[in-house]
Amino acid sequence: MPPNIIVVLFDAARARNFSAYGYDRETTPFISSLTESGIRYERAVSNSIYSLPSYASIFTGQYPTEHGAISWSDSVTSNPLVEGLKNRGYTTYAVSTHLLSGEFGLSDAFDEIDIRFLGSNERLFEDDPVADAMSEKGTRDGWD
């Protein structure tokens, strides 16, 4: 059986504020629990200063000048990361608050996507709908 793969992407987050990366307060217990049995990267560099081109680069393996998702009116036409996983027998599922919504093309390759739009006053660290959705899909002993 192939290993389960979870890719967690954060918008405007700094590793220095994550307990999983040594922050002295327990700020990210869910992420800490994932790192206990997974792979935690020590160094990562973004291909852009804002989210859409960065996410598109992660999923396509291309620089923003290659995939073309430069401005908020752009979208990508393929998602090689997810398509490659599906070709190897994986079922793919994504939870997002906005960047994987259909308008940017990033979600088209997933088998299932759960968009959790948040109101302007909702705070993820008190009641996290993305983590809740991920927990609903998984089990205590592994992921479906």
Side-chain angles (χ1 to χ4, degrees), residues 21-61:
Y21 285 90
Y23 191 61
D24 59 352
R25 290 186 5 230
E26 184 59 56
T27 53
T28 54
F30 183 72
I31 298 304
S32 294
S33 70
L34 292 176
T35 64
E36 290 171 8
S37 61
I39 297 171
R40 180 175 54 101
Y41 289 91
E42 295 291 331
R43 185 170 183 263
V45 179
S46 179
N47 281 314
S48 178
I49 60 171
Y50 68 101
S51 306
L52 178 59
S54 296
Y55 276 50
S57 289
I58 291 167
F59 287 111
T60 65

Side-chain angles (χ1 to χ4, degrees), residues 19 21-22 32 43 58 69 85 108 134 140:
S19 46
Y21 285 90
S32 294
R43 185 170 183 263
I58 291 167
L85 289 170
D108 295 348
M134 288 178 66
R140 185 171 191 84

Side-chain angles (χ1 to χ4, degrees), residues 104-130:
F104 303 113
L106 295 170
S107 65
D108 295 348
F110 286 93
D111 292 313
E112 185 179 347
I113 185 153
D114 187 345
I115 302 296
R116 301 285 174 119
F117 291 103
L118 304 177
S120 60
N121 61 351
E122 290 185 79
R123 295 168 46 158
L124 291 177
F125 55 86
E126 287 180 0
D127 182 27
D128 190 340
V130 173

Side-chain angles (χ1 to χ4, degrees), residues 67-130:
H67 59 63
I70 307 294
S71 72
W72 291 111
S73 60
D74 299 328
S75 62
V76 297
T77 57
S78 68
N79 187 330
L81 175 63
V82 173
E83 292 162 1
L85 289 170
K86 287 173 65 170
N87 289 339
R88 287 167 180 79
Y90 281 91
T91 299
T92 59
Y93 174 71
V95 181
S96 178
T97 56
H98 73 297
L99 276 172
L100 293 182
S101 63
E103 65 188 290
F104 303 113
L106 295 170
S107 65
D108 295 348
F110 286 93
D111 292 313
E112 185 179 347
I113 185 153
D114 187 345
I115 302 296
R116 301 285 174 119
F117 291 103
L118 304 177
S120 60
N121 61 351
E122 290 185 79
R123 295 168 46 158
L124 291 177
F125 55 86
E126 287 180 0
D127 182 27
D128 190 340
V130 173

